[in-house]
Amino acid sequence: MTNKMIPFSPPRIDQKIIDEVVDTLKSGWITTGPKTKLFEKKLSEYTGCKATLCLNSATAGLELMLRWFGVEEGDEVIVPAYTYSATANVIIHCGAKPVFVDVLDDFNIDPKKVRAAITSKTKVIMPVDFGGLPCNYEQLNNLVREASIKDQFTPKNEVQKTLGRIMILSDAAHSIGGKYQGKNVGSLTDVSVISFHAVKNLTTAEGGCVNLNFPEPFDNEEIYKYLCVKSLHGQNKDALAKTIPGNWRYDIVEAGYKWNMTDIMAAIGLVELARYESETLPVRKAIVDQYNNAFKKYSWAELPVITDENRVSSYHLYALRIKNVTEQMRDEIMSLIFPKGVSVNVHFIPVPIMSFYTQMGYDIHNYPNTYYHYSREISLPIFYNLNDEDLHTVINAVVSSVEEVLNKYGLVNQENIKDLIA
Ligand SMILES: *Cc1c(COP(=O)(O)O)cnc(C)c1O
């Protein structure tokens, strides 16, 4: 047992971040203001989307877009079973029904399963770029534009009529900087939501943004302006606008939400974004490459998909899978890793396993590939200040723990494992 614990994903808080936050604190403007607006502009430039709205979380962004589209009781929203619960919870908030579908071997939503799940009640598809690897957006974008799929779509309001089809709301919580067919995440589909939560690639402590990318005839600038109001009480003037002398009177045009980003958060984000391509992504890539090089020689290791002919990951997670193990064996491996001074995690416990969702009648047996990958998955530490020595400690802890458990049980046939949950 070591005293020092290698953390899983601590934020990179250095003097630059501290200076920018102090600058904000001293500026006299700490809520939504000039730094948030600048961060939004820089995010639009970086992602290539048409407009960006910063908020206090990605979860708020997902719910905001469902509500903007008018998703309500009686509607269905398609989501992968393999995601963090936030993706599904926001659908429940709106009174709609999450329709879970299974994932592919890269952990991302299976477009074939999406097609099979579409009904006349389907309003939105929420793909999740698991671990930072973009989904197959070409297939998803084409699917919702197919004539027979469009014919089923039954619009209930003006926005839905204007789009004339299912909306794709990408949960890009992990994937800022990820690329698909040479384009950056944020510009790959109708709308994408990025998270700046403390453990994410690019943090603002808490925070998130919506990258608007709706096709004609939508005016994304106009949608942005409306969403500013909707995410701030439904108030037609924000605090900054009210500082113009004499400009004190405001109106409440709807019962809006309180989801705005503060300039203190944006200060962190501006520093993080400025060094994201030059420092953050290369360091994360180097860590992933070192893990891959270390694990590829072990027959029990199934390496995560990081890149293929269409895609490049943002290297958010290193999701290692162990071949031929049950969920219980995976848990045993993890319990051997922690005492060696290494923090590991599982991404994710699938949503249909959660008690709230089982009580609603969802059943993980309906998503066998989700369970199959979840039950063998262990996420390893990736963060900016992970040094070579710690990286080797992680690798040695994983290898020795896996081998200890595999030796204890002997090899189990992969198909038998699938049978265990059948
Ligand atoms: C982190 C995360 C979210 C939520 O992001 P917040 O900014 O914490 O609201 C949503 N979806 C996925 C897949 C996530 O990992």
Side-chain angles (χ1 to χ4, degrees), residues 57-59 83-84 86-87 128 171 173-174 195-197 200 206-207 348:
S57 74
T59 306
T83 183
Y84 182 60
T87 324
V128 178
D171 180 338
H174 298 176
S195 174
F196 306 130
H197 177 269
K200 300 287 157 65
E206 291 282 356
F348 291 100

Side-chain angles (χ1 to χ4, degrees), residues 76-82 98-119 122 124-127 136 139-140 143-144 146 149 152 166 364-373 418:
E76 295 177 353
V77 177
I78 297 174
V79 277
Y82 208 129
V99 175
F100 294 108
V101 299
D102 214 347
V103 294
L104 299 165
D105 291 342
D106 64 6
F107 296 103
N108 281 344
I109 199 163
D110 182 344
K112 285 203 192 87
K113 296 276 162 62
V114 172
R115 176 190 291 279
I118 291 173
T119 73
T122 308
V124 180
I125 298 167
M126 293 171 78
N136 190 329
Q139 276 184 42
L140 294 169
L143 178 66
V144 296
E146 271 180 31
I149 302 282
Q152 279 188 68
I166 295 167
I364 188 64
H365 291 89
N366 296 327
Y367 318 98
N369 220 30
T370 293
Y371 182 80
Y372 178 58
H373 293 296
K418 278 191 172 171

